[in-house]
Amino acid sequence: MADDADSFLCSICQDVFTKPVSIPCGHNFCLDCITNYWDNTDTVMKCPLCKENFFTRPMLRVNTVIAEMAAKFNKSERSLVTPEKAGSGYVLCDWCTGAKLPATKSCLGCFLSFCETHLKPHQNSPAMKNHKLIHPVENLKGRMCKTHDALLELFCKADQMFVCESCKVSDHKAHNIVNLEDEAQIRKSMLGREKESTDEKIQSRQQRIHEIEQSVEASRINAANALSYSMHAMTALVDYIRRSQAGLAEVIETKQKKIEMESNGLIKELEGEIMQLKQIKSQLSQVAPHNDDFLFLENFLSLAITQPQVKNWSDVTLNSYEFTEQGAMAMLETTVTKEIRMLCDPDWKEMQQHAVDVTLDPDTANPLLVVSPDGKQVTHGDRRRQLPKKPGRFEQVLNVLAKEGFSSGKFYYEVQVKDKTNWDLGVANQSINRKGDIRLSPKIGYWTIYFRKGSEFTANAGPAINLNVREVPQKVGVFVDYEAGQVSFHDADSRACIFSFTGWNFTEKLFPFFSPCGIDGNRNSAPLIITPVKHNS
């Protein structure tokens, strides 16, 4: 009998199945038991027995075959209830003596619970047929009104409490009173809908977790493919450059040899003509100047001089080549360097070594800007503040400078621009104009870039230069090499170079420059944040 009982017991509550359901792995549980178990478990659904994982909550339907068998078993077990089963969850008959049987009904008139046998008088006796019978419950006296000693069979919606008929016509006369059963049915329906809604929310979030995990796995695969491809591409590029270097050297040497051969031919031809001219000169030397003009002409006319076959060398030039390879290689170096720096600047880690602690100067901030107490954040405020007039304050434009200025060496800092649609960043000369409307340009002491409409990048180079970036940065790194005249901007997460100002001659102290811009209909309300530089190994 014990083995048969185990077949109809839920492994969670250890009682006979109530609304048994089967899950995909084949195990069975009470509907409420497995639902409550999953409600209180982690993100991944598991079978309590075999621990099989389900990434989405399975749809549960009552197994009618097991339910019918459990009902038959439960009915047969009721006839065998012993006193030892008291307290196991059954409501026992108050009329039984000795071994008490489970109650099938509780009477609100007698305040007692009865088994099928002892309930018969309520079914047969006319005096008891008016008694109200309900599903077996304990502590019937707790359902009585303490004020009127009457049954609490009504519910006050206004006060959210149980009331009796006397309460209804006294303290709750003007309230909305309904039957207890009707209110319970409404609440059960609400509870069921809330459970269904909660289950749907849980399932949707579990599905979202599953999608995120799939996305991460896909990203991991893409990253591995990108790494493999980059290594292959870099290796192929380096190999191709090495092979091209050997070929280019051969081309240059061939050109030089050709030039040398042409020059040797010209030199030999010139030397041959020189030899002919020297022979003629020797013949001419035989006719010495003579005071006797007759003798001089006689000797001169006796010469048999043959005119040499010589060229007019004034139009002859050496066909030397211009070695354009040098310019082409310089252009190639510039192009490759630019493209690689847009992917990942190899000098970025070295730039980080020059990180400095930067804080905002509230005495320079426009009255509409709010600088945090620690000087690390600036955002657009909700009103224009009344601030002391200071010569260093920006009055019209939404700008602020850092307290720290630099007049030599290198320095680097990072600014978080996450969740912003508009901002300006860069450095500025100490002597810049801070009053009235300002057009940012290096010519007037500003080296800056700006971001607009959540996607447009521009360098204020005078004229402006549109910038193409592969990703919108969440954090921007600003690097300055004072002596080299360089200001560069980097995506601090991808380490890619966004833009560089180069070749400038700085003569003043440079101050980090910030503008969070307007709030743009609350789309640009996030602050600019100066963040600590995390040195990556």
Side-chain angles (χ1 to χ4, degrees), residues 5 33 39 50 76 141 188 240 258 276 279 288 337 361 375 383 408 461 506 513:
C33 291
D39 285 344
C50 67
S76 65
K141 290 187 178 181
K188 286 177 182 177
Y240 183 77
K258 186 176 180 181
Q276 292 182 53
Q279 290 176 353
T337 301
D361 186 355
R383 59 184 176 81
S408 64
F506 300 131
F513 168 90

Side-chain angles (χ1 to χ4, degrees), residues 492-512:
D493 293 318
S494 68
R495 310 182 187 184
C497 181
I498 299 172
F499 182 76
S500 290
F501 292 94
T502 57
W504 291 91
N505 181 26
F506 300 131
T507 58
E508 298 182 32
K509 185 175 285 190
L510 296 177
F511 287 82

Side-chain angles (χ1 to χ4, degrees), residues 122-139:
H122 283 76
Q123 298 169 336
N124 300 326
S125 171
M128 291 186 173
K129 281 187 176 181
N130 292 330
H131 288 197
K132 188 168 184 178
L133 301 176
I134 63 173
H135 185 76
V137 294
E138 295 179 349
N139 189 24

Side-chain angles (χ1 to χ4, degrees), residues 9 42 56 71 107 173 178 188 228 246 385 441 481 512:
L9 295 182
D42 294 329
T56 58
C107 176
K173 185 175 182 180
V178 296
K188 286 177 182 177
S228 174
R385 296 170 300 151
S441 168
D481 186 338

Side-chain angles (χ1 to χ4, degrees), residues 70-83:
K72 292 178 180 179
F73 176 79
N74 195 29
K75 187 174 182 180
S76 65
E77 279 287 290
R78 284 184 178 182
S79 63
L80 300 174
V81 175
T82 62

Side-chain angles (χ1 to χ4, degrees), residues 317-333:
T317 58
L318 179 64
N319 188 21
S320 61
Y321 291 94
E322 292 185 7
F323 290 92
T324 58
E325 290 80 3
Q326 184 175 353
M329 293 306 295
M331 185 180 298
L332 175 63
E333 180 182 3

